Amino acid sequence: MKKREDSIVGFIGLGLMGGALAMGLRKQGPREIWAYDLNPSVIKKALDQGVIDQGVWDSAGLQKMLPQCDLVFICLTPMDTLAFLALYMEDFKPGAIVTDIIGVKEVVFKNLGNLLRKDIDYIPGHPMAGSEKEGFGGADDRVFKNRNYILTPLPTNQPENIALIRDIVTELGFNHIVETTTEIHDQKIAFTSQLCHVIAAALVDCEDDLSITDFEGGSFGDLTRIAMINAPMWTELFMCNRKNLLDQIEKFESSLAAMKDMIRLDEKEELIDRLQSVREKRIAMGEIRAAKSLKNL
Amino acid sequence: MKKREDSIVGFIGLGLMGGALAMGLRKQGPREIWAYDLNPSVIKKALDQGVIDQGVWDSAGLQKMLPQCDLVFICLTPMDTLAFLALYMEDFKPGAIVTDIIGVKEVVFKNLGNLLRKDIDYIPGHPMAGSEKEGFGGADDRVFKNRNYILTPLPTNQPENIALIRDIVTELGFNHIVETTTEIHDQKIAFTSQLCHVIAAALVDCEDDLSITDFEGGSFGDLTRIAMINAPMWTELFMCNRKNLLDQIEKFESSLAAMKDMIRLDEKEELIDRLQSVREKRIAMGEIRAAKSLKNL
């Protein structure tokens, strides 16, 4: 493993997340940052802003760039990540560390089969951060501050390479790094991320009055900010994690139906008890996470 | 109507909202601020902090205070507001302007009947602001900044008194004042406020893993902050607006079920279209509200 200051870091895709990660990596002083994006104007913008040192936007350029990169961040959607790996596996530099940012893990790694070369170290990752903006123009590495970063290491990963990724993301601002399996990742993410996006979308979907915000006190805004959704990307994430997401939606529907019944049947004491236990549970969830924050941030 | 600097302003209840309103009013320089709260330690704290000039915590004190107050903010729950009005109607100063902050309007004004004295001007209000904190210790008038204030005036209200309330709440930081009927208020609030709280509570309720926040990227936190709920108060609000709230829950359930079906049936194009229209609708809702903000803030 090379030192970071001697490494060339490559980004595949300079969207909201790829752009933000590149901006953050810039501050860590690697030898160079290179990027591939289908959109030449994004590459131009990233060069102009000094976020990257070199950029390419076609297959020929990519095949020149990839063999140079010591560390590669693939910042594409799940299906595009899979397609990228299938198409360009032979172009990675021997010994390269490769990571991704995709929000569903099982579907990719089940389909990857024996495609992964043994002389590269592929460490799947998932930065739990984002915003309602889209593309490189919305990219901002401040979104990483105090967030979770999930790694779902493969049995073949080198401990020193995992340690490097942990160091990098800690410096990016993430203050809690979780290592787990792809299976657990997908179950948990179906709840914390995908279910939340479905709820936010359904809440906006069911209201026809565009002036409803006259009656808004913060709650509706907080619950629906993530409804300003990248529709194709989230559709892909939902579909790629269908079974887990459907389970989580049904779990939520049951809780909602139980509360609805308490309201309908005027069961005041039961509802107060339930809401009190919800309050305590939510406070505990926050405290448990806060206690895990890396002390140096 | 007296000038504000000559007026004694009375607060009934110095909780999260009463406390914050009193803190904000303090900056507007009324002659004096008096308060009634059942908890003597809250009164003492408010006196110590200079938020109020005089305070009482029993019925005898209240009956001395109320006849002095030119403007009264009743900052109690709906049922307590109703009980307060029934018990102390005779004690208001003739000509007093009286307002409230309760989050459901119909149930109170239907039950008030002919109780309201003709020589006081009762102007129902609803500051659309709050926080997950509780009580005077959590009170902070910064929560009012750029929020909505709803008034549901009665036909008998004096225009100059409504104008006074509008001026006061504008100075408190609210940047959009909506005047509507109690009926419309309760329908809209069932969606923007009560439904959002039920959803947040159900989302926490359905998850048993207290370490789920390991997998959190902001969405779950944003959707469930309001699940740290004042259980008895929100139960009362839900029950007092039962019919509207049940309608809104069912409307939301239908949208959620429709999205679930699209996911289950792998209807990608339909889901992308739906999420795209949700995104556009939510952006429009935000823009429409922003355009209404008072220009001087």
Side-chain angles (χ1 to χ4, degrees):
Chain A
M1 187 186 66
K2 275 194 186 173
K3 286 185 182 166
R4 237 182 298 176
E5 58 267 33
D6 299 326
S7 297
I8 295 179
V9 182
F11 284 87
I12 309 303
L14 277 183
L16 184 76
M17 292 304 292
L21 288 166
M23 288 170 189
L25 257 295
R26 176 91 284 173
K27 299 169 189 164
Q28 301 188 15
R31 193 172 119 207
E32 283 196 1
I33 296 182
W34 294 19
Y36 163 74
D37 194 283
L38 280 177
N39 187 342
S41 72
V42 164
I43 292 295
K44 185 176 180 315
K45 202 168 170 185
L47 285 166
D48 289 348
Q49 293 182 10
V51 174
I52 61 172
D53 301 294
Q54 297 205 43
V56 299
W57 52 87
D58 60 15
S59 189
L62 180 61
Q63 284 173 306
K64 282 180 200 156
M65 161 184 157
L66 217 46
Q68 314 287 328
C69 295
D70 303 293
L71 172 60
V72 179
F73 282 84
I74 306 176
C75 303
L76 304 173
T77 67
M79 291 299 102
D80 284 351
T81 299
L82 197 53
F84 178 86
L85 289 170
L87 278 168
Y88 298 104
M89 185 58 71
E90 292 313 311
D91 297 303
F92 288 109
K93 182 176 181 176
I97 303 168
V98 182
T99 187
D100 64 44
I101 62 158
I102 53 180
V104 290
K105 295 299 187 194
E106 287 268 278
V107 67
V108 171
F109 290 93
K110 275 187 183 158
N111 285 301
L112 210 51
N114 294 319
L115 192 67
L116 274 181
R117 272 166 49 193
K118 297 211 185 334
D119 63 338
I120 67 167
D121 205 13
Y122 194 97
I123 305 173
H126 185 188
M128 296 301 300
S131 84
E132 70 279 11
K133 295 178 183 143
E134 292 191 344
F136 185 76
D140 184 343
D141 63 324
R142 287 174 296 184
V143 300
F144 302 143
K145 194 165 168 59
N146 297 339
R147 294 290 182 199
N148 295 310
Y149 205 101
I150 308 173
L151 296 172
T152 57
L154 306 178
T156 52
N157 289 153
Q158 299 296 314
E160 69 269 27
N161 292 343
I162 294 176
L164 174 71
I165 298 286
R166 294 182 70 106
D167 286 348
I168 288 173
V169 305
T170 302
E171 278 187 52
L172 285 171
F174 293 91
N175 74 347
H176 182 41
I177 302 167
V178 180
E179 290 188 27
T180 188
T181 65
T182 54
E183 192 182 357
I184 291 176
H185 171 276
D186 284 8
Q187 282 169 8
K188 300 295 184 182
I189 289 302
F191 179 76
T192 56
S193 178
Q194 290 151 13
L195 173 62
C196 289
H197 281 76
V198 170
I199 288 172
L203 188 52
V204 172
D205 184 61
C206 77
E207 177 59 55
D208 294 324
D209 177 5
L210 294 180
S211 291
I212 191 70
T213 34
D214 278 354
F215 295 88
E216 210 263 305
S219 308
F220 177 74
D222 283 350
L223 264 70
T224 60
R225 198 163 295 109
I226 56 170
M228 291 183 277
I229 206 165
N230 179 327
M233 187 186 82
W234 281 95
T235 296
E236 187 176 320
L237 288 167
F238 296 161
M239 297 305 189
C240 284
N241 202 14
R242 178 183 295 115
K243 190 187 166 308
N244 283 319
L245 177 55
L246 291 174
D247 287 349
Q248 299 292 350
I249 294 175
E250 280 164 15
K251 192 173 84 168
F252 169 74
E253 284 177 327
S254 296
S255 271
L256 183 62
M259 286 195 188
K260 186 175 74 168
D261 280 348
M262 289 179 195
I263 294 166
R264 190 168 50 83
L265 299 170
D266 201 24
E267 296 175 347
K268 283 199 186 76
E269 293 310 315
E270 292 84 346
L271 187 54
I272 290 174
D273 288 349
R274 184 72 68 109
L275 293 177
Q276 190 58 38
S277 84
V278 159
R279 176 183 170 84
E280 286 158 16
K281 200 200 279 186
R282 176 60 176 75
I283 290 171
M285 286 172 169
E287 287 173 349
I288 285 168
R289 170 62 183 80
K292 293 175 184 168
S293 297
L294 294 170
K295 297 296 181 288
N296 60 336
L297 290 171
Chain B
M1 186 186 65
K2 273 193 184 173
K3 286 184 183 169
R4 237 183 295 176
E5 59 266 33
D6 299 326
S7 297
I8 295 178
V9 182
F11 283 87
I12 309 303
L14 277 183
L16 184 76
M17 292 304 293
L21 287 166
M23 288 169 190
L25 256 294
R26 175 91 284 173
K27 298 168 189 165
Q28 300 188 15
R31 194 173 118 203
E32 283 196 359
I33 296 181
W34 293 20
Y36 163 74
D37 194 283
L38 281 176
N39 186 341
S41 72
V42 164
I43 291 296
K44 184 176 180 315
K45 202 169 171 185
L47 284 167
D48 288 348
Q49 293 182 11
V51 174
I52 62 172
D53 301 293
Q54 296 206 43
V56 299
W57 51 87
D58 60 15
S59 189
L62 181 61
Q63 285 175 306
K64 280 180 199 155
M65 162 186 157
L66 217 45
Q68 313 288 326
C69 295
D70 302 293
L71 171 61
V72 179
F73 283 83
I74 306 176
C75 302
L76 304 173
T77 66
M79 289 301 102
D80 284 351
T81 299
L82 198 54
F84 179 85
L85 289 170
L87 278 169
Y88 297 104
M89 185 59 72
E90 292 313 310
D91 297 302
F92 288 110
K93 182 176 181 175
I97 303 169
V98 182
T99 188
D100 64 46
I101 63 158
I102 54 180
V104 289
K105 295 300 187 192
E106 286 267 278
V107 67
V108 172
F109 290 93
K110 274 185 181 160
N111 285 302
L112 210 53
N114 293 318
L115 192 68
L116 275 180
R117 272 166 50 194
K118 296 208 184 339
D119 63 338
I120 67 167
D121 205 14
Y122 194 96
I123 305 174
H126 185 189
M128 296 301 301
S131 85
E132 69 279 11
K133 295 176 183 147
E134 292 193 342
F136 184 76
D140 184 342
D141 63 324
R142 287 173 298 186
V143 299
F144 302 145
K145 193 163 170 59
N146 297 339
R147 293 293 183 197
N148 295 310
Y149 206 101
I150 307 174
L151 296 172
T152 57
L154 306 178
T156 51
N157 288 153
Q158 299 294 313
E160 69 269 26
N161 292 343
I162 294 176
L164 174 71
I165 299 287
R166 295 182 69 106
D167 286 349
I168 287 173
V169 305
T170 302
E171 278 186 52
L172 285 171
F174 294 91
N175 74 347
H176 182 41
I177 301 166
V178 180
E179 290 188 27
T180 188
T181 64
T182 54
E183 191 182 358
I184 291 175
H185 171 276
D186 283 8
Q187 282 170 9
K188 300 295 184 182
I189 289 302
F191 178 77
T192 57
S193 178
Q194 291 151 13
L195 173 62
C196 290
H197 281 76
V198 171
I199 288 171
L203 189 52
V204 172
D205 184 61
C206 76
E207 177 59 54
D208 293 325
D209 177 6
L210 294 180
S211 291
I212 191 71
T213 35
D214 278 354
F215 296 87
E216 210 264 306
S219 307
F220 177 73
D222 284 350
L223 263 71
T224 60
R225 198 162 295 112
I226 56 170
M228 290 182 277
I229 205 165
N230 179 327
M233 187 186 82
W234 281 94
T235 297
E236 186 176 321
L237 288 167
F238 295 161
M239 297 306 189
C240 284
N241 202 15
R242 177 182 295 117
K243 190 187 165 309
N244 283 318
L245 177 54
L246 291 174
D247 287 349
Q248 299 291 350
I249 293 174
E250 281 165 14
K251 192 173 83 168
F252 169 73
E253 285 177 326
S254 296
S255 272
L256 184 62
M259 286 194 188
K260 186 175 72 168
D261 280 348
M262 289 180 196
I263 295 166
R264 190 168 51 82
L265 300 171
D266 201 24
E267 296 175 346
K268 284 198 187 76
E269 294 309 316
E270 291 83 348
L271 187 55
I272 290 174
D273 288 350
R274 184 72 68 108
L275 293 177
Q276 191 58 38
S277 85
V278 158
R279 176 182 169 85
E280 286 158 17
K281 199 201 277 189
R282 176 60 176 75
I283 290 170
M285 286 173 170
E287 288 173 349
I288 285 169
R289 170 61 183 79
K292 292 175 184 169
S293 297
L294 293 170
K295 295 296 179 287
N296 60 335
L297 290 170

